C-alpha cells in the first residue's frame, strides 16, 4: 500500500477504535493524566498504554512530564496533550477522501 491509500488506511485504523477516539477526545478538551483517562474510559492499564502508544506514534498526542508525584510516590506525573502536528493533514485527507467517494458514487 502506498501514498494516499496508506494514509487513508492509517487514519481509519486510528479513529476506527472507540478507545482511541475517547482518549483523543478527552485529551483534546484538556490535558489529562494517565490515571484520569483510566478512570474516565474504564479500561485496563495495558489497553490504555497500547492505545496511547498508537496515538503518540502517529503524532496525534504528546506526553509531557509535569511534576514529581510527591515524596512517597516514585516517578513523574505525565499529562497527555493533543498534538495538532498531524491533525490538519488528517482533516484535509479525510475531506478529500469523502469528496472522492461521493464523486465516485455520483457517476
Amino acid at each position: 500500500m502506498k501514498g494516499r491509500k496508506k494514509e487513508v488506511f492509517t487514519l481509519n485504523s486510528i479513529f476506527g477504535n472507540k478507545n482511541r477516539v475517547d482518549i483523543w477526545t478527552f485529551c483534546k478538551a484538556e490535558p489529562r493524566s494517565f490515571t484520569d483517562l483510566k478512570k474516565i474510559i474504564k479500561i485496563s492499564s495495558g489497553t490504555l498504554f497500547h492505545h496511547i502508544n498508537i496515538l503518540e506514534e502517529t503524532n496525534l498526542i504528546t506526553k509531557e512530564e509535569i511534576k514529581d508525584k510527591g515524596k512517597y510516590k516514585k516517578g513523574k506525573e505525565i499529562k497527555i496533550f493533543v498534538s495538532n502536528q498531524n491533525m490538519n493533514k488528517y482533516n484535509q485527507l479525510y475531506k478529500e477522501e469523502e469528496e472522492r467517494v461521493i464523486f465516485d458514487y455520483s457517476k
Side-chain angles (χ1 to χ4, degrees), residues 18-19 22-23 26-27 32-49 52 73 77 79-80:
K18 182 186 180 320
N19 291 328
D22 287 347
I23 292 165
F26 289 124
C27 291
R32 303 285 184 155
S33 69
F34 182 86
T35 304
D36 292 340
L37 289 171
K38 190 171 181 236
K39 286 178 186 176
I40 294 168
I41 301 171
K42 298 180 174 130
I43 57 177
S44 71
S45 296
T47 301
L48 184 55
F49 272 120
I52 286 173
K73 295 181 181 178
E77 181 181 352
K79 286 286 186 183
I80 300 163

Side-chain angles (χ1 to χ4, degrees), residues 68-76:
D68 288 326
K69 289 182 175 181
K71 69 179 187 176
Y72 297 110
K73 295 181 181 178
K74 294 181 180 179
K76 303 273 184 189

Side-chain angles (χ1 to χ4, degrees), residues 73-90:
K73 295 181 181 178
K74 294 181 180 179
K76 303 273 184 189
E77 181 181 352
I78 304 293
K79 286 286 186 183
I80 300 163
F81 298 83
V82 165
S83 169
N84 290 324
Q85 182 177 352
N86 277 344
M87 276 317 299
N88 291 337
K89 176 182 171 183
Y90 285 133

Side-chain angles (χ1 to χ4, degrees), residues 11 14-15 55-61 83-93:
L11 179 63
I14 292 166
F15 289 110
L55 290 167
E56 190 174 28
E57 287 171 3
T58 54
N59 296 315
L60 291 170
I61 62 170
S83 169
N84 290 324
Q85 182 177 352
N86 277 344
M87 276 317 299
N88 291 337
K89 176 182 171 183
Y90 285 133
N91 285 337
Q92 182 63 32
L93 182 66

